[in-house]
Amino acid sequence: MNTYEKITALLDQHHADYRVVEHEAIGQTDVISGIRGNDLNQAAKAMVLEVTMPDGADARYLLAIVPGDCKINFKSAARAIGGKKSSFAAPEKAQELTQCVMGAVPPFSFDDRLALRVDTRLRDVGTLWFNAGALERSVALNVDDFFGVVGDDCCADIATPMTATA
């Protein structure tokens, strides 16, 4: 079963309100949001982080989900799972853990080695938009249904709004 099939099976199992949108294969949040017609803050941007743990414990991996109009706060993301600091995971490791090419990673973890944290700003967006395991396919999902699937424990303040530059 590929990632898209896992997502739709999970959403169907939870009777979630969602729809699938086919589009050009684009992995840039701002560009694809314009094509899909969603506000940038409704886009779920997924990043795989490697988190340094205290006392020399083995590093852990985190799937951090932030709004499209924000950037990741690496220190807050690490703290959200008891770590000290975090950085982007190696692309090969990220692809291994998500079974997706970067840009197509959904806001769901299907690997026990990959913890999930979702920025609290996404709670109030109404409809959450994300690539569904493939660059040419997105899902629009009722945000309450999303949190019904992943649970409230995954919420954390892990993002910082991007500031406009002149």
Side-chain angles (χ1 to χ4, degrees):
M1 189 180 298
N2 66 32
T3 302
Y4 171 73
E5 293 165 337
K6 289 178 186 176
I7 293 166
T8 56
L10 182 65
L11 296 178
D12 289 342
Q13 176 187 343
H14 284 86
H15 307 289
D17 180 16
Y18 74 96
R19 66 187 164 94
V20 176
V21 178
E22 304 269 341
H23 50 72
E24 221 178 314
I26 295 176
Q28 294 172 272
T29 304
D30 55 345
V31 176
I32 198 61
S33 290
I35 290 170
R36 295 184 304 215
N38 61 274
D39 291 336
L40 199 51
N41 71 323
Q42 293 177 301
K45 203 163 44 172
M47 289 159 274
V48 178
L49 306 180
E50 184 172 348
V51 179
T52 303
M53 303 306 288
D55 301 325
D58 288 343
R60 290 185 59 200
Y61 292 95
L62 172 66
L63 180 59
I65 311 299
V66 302
D69 61 351
C70 292
K71 59 185 178 180
I72 189 72
N73 180 317
F74 288 100
K75 195 168 197 172
S76 295
R79 282 195 216 127
I81 62 168
K84 293 192 310 185
K85 63 181 181 175
S86 66
S87 59
F88 289 117
E92 306 79 31
K93 188 66 173 182
Q95 191 162 343
E96 173 194 331
L97 292 167
T98 63
Q99 296 297 300
C100 296
V101 298
M102 294 303 97
V105 178
F108 298 97
S109 174
F110 296 105
D111 189 311
D112 292 338
R113 301 171 294 168
L114 188 60
L116 175 69
R117 291 298 178 272
V118 180
D119 188 73
T120 53
R121 287 171 184 80
L122 288 169
R123 279 219 119 328
D124 301 318
V125 298
T127 301
L128 190 66
W129 287 84
F130 56 91
N131 280 11
L135 291 174
E136 69 280 353
R137 192 176 290 143
S138 291
V139 168
L141 172 62
N142 176 289
V143 75
D144 292 333
D145 288 345
F146 170 71
F147 283 102
V149 172
V150 300
D152 292 320
D153 292 346
C154 69
C155 270
D157 291 320
I158 61 170
T160 303
M162 286 191 257
T163 55
T165 56

